Amino acid sequence: MTAQNPGFAFSSTDLLESLNPEQRRAVVQTEGPLLILAGAGSGKTRVISHRAAYLIGGGHAEPHEVLAVTFTNKAAQQMRERVERLLKSDCSRLWISTFHAFCARMLRREGPAIGLSRDFVIYDSADQLAVVRRALRDLDIDDKLLPARQALSLISQAKNQMLDPAALRGESWSARGEMAAKVYERYRLALNEAHALDFDDLLLRTVELFATAGPVKQRYSEQFRFIMVDEYQDTNQPQYLLIHHLADHHRNLCVVGDPDQSIYKWRGADLRNIMDFEQDFSEATVVRLEQNYRSTQVILDAASAVIRQNRNRKEKRLWTDRTGGAPIRYFRGGDELEEADFVVARLREALTAEEELVGVLYRTNAQSRALEDALIREGLG
């Protein structure tokens, strides 16, 4: 094992002591591709943070040689804070960020290699809508036939699948698809003229950078000796290609995710990225995090019975050492009013029992009206 990094106050024994056996195995597996199948509530963020601390503090890598990518700024910030707390040191040189923040940083540095100015503008959703509305007017397309938000959504979907306007037109079998392709063409031209990129472009242009600028790809694929990706089941095609370009040299790629928790297909997530990881990396190690720290066994058994019906998944058996838990009650109402009355009755039971925290979850906003009316009628709203 590599010697301890003298620049950090670090004890591998202390760091590993707080982990269960499978979490510990995921942390100390430093070499080669690693797939961590992390069930809900199994401490995956803890594992990623401890693994980054172990790599740096244990002398396996310098901070700038470790890249950790996640999906939200909040998750990235929490991960950085955890690593710094574990190492008792500032880790500003450690690359922890969202995909988009990483790509923006990379393009600011290396954009000229693909003809992109370093001072490009990043358009937010309001800017994008303004460009699409202008394109619709220029093309004399009625907003009722193709609303601006829908056009922008179709453009984003095309970019997530790495389709240009011509390819989108070729895949379209409707008048609306043909209109969307025309708007996409105008939209892309307008952004080019303004030296602007949208969030999808950040990914696409960075993939282009690593695919076409050999020296740039070589420099960063050699620099990032260890790469970790959170929520891998939610990655799309450009994100997949980006990570594979970077991991091409050292192949020390650790991805964390769970096919059972994939809910972002509507925004381009491709479940094949995690399902085919062991085909992409035949030498991969697989670690399953199956101990749940959030729920009782009653809930885990019910959830497992439902999700087990899915065809395209990787088997896991979640368990917990938490005892107790009331049986799950199932109710099927005749309509939304009967359903709302049932919910209100259960809420009254909970309030009578002086439960401290009571919540009502519903699947779509359309379901809220009946629930709100019933709560108001019973004086609970």
Side-chain angles (χ1 to χ4, degrees), residues 10-30:
F10 175 81
S11 167
S12 60
T13 303
D14 292 344
L15 182 138
L16 298 175
E17 249 181 14
S18 62
L19 305 176
N20 69 39
E22 290 306 304
Q23 290 175 334
R24 195 176 303 126
R25 183 180 171 217
V27 167
V28 302
Q29 176 68 43
T30 59

Side-chain angles (χ1 to χ4, degrees), residues 187-248:
Y187 174 85
R188 192 164 70 165
L189 180 62
L191 263 64
N192 286 339
E193 291 175 347
H195 302 289
L197 303 178
D198 62 21
F199 287 106
D200 295 320
D201 290 330
L202 292 174
L203 293 167
L204 292 173
R205 296 308 299 271
T206 308
V207 170
E208 178 190 344
L209 174 69
F210 291 132
T212 60
V216 176
K217 173 186 173 177
Q218 182 177 352
R219 183 160 64 252
Y220 287 99
S221 64
E222 288 180 359
Q223 174 184 326
F224 295 125
R225 296 181 53 227
F226 298 94
I227 300 171
M228 292 181 285
V229 184
D230 192 14
E231 305 291 5
Y232 194 63
Q233 78 278 354
D234 292 331
T235 53
N236 60 24
Q237 182 68 5
Q239 289 162 338
Y240 169 88
L241 291 173
L242 171 66
I243 292 301
H244 279 249
H245 277 304
L246 288 171
D248 188 45

Side-chain angles (χ1 to χ4, degrees), residues 329-333 335-351 358-363 367-368 370-378 380:
R329 185 184 305 183
Y330 171 80
F331 171 79
R332 181 174 181 176
D335 55 28
E336 71 275 14
L337 300 179
E338 191 175 335
E339 180 182 58
D341 288 340
F342 175 81
V343 171
V344 170
R346 300 293 78 74
L347 284 173
R348 282 207 175 280
E349 286 180 8
L351 293 172
V358 181
V360 179
L361 304 179
Y362 47 88
R363 191 172 60 85
Q367 294 175 279
S368 68
L371 290 167
E372 290 170 2
D373 288 347
L375 290 168
I376 293 170
R377 187 174 62 249
E378 295 296 320
L380 297 174

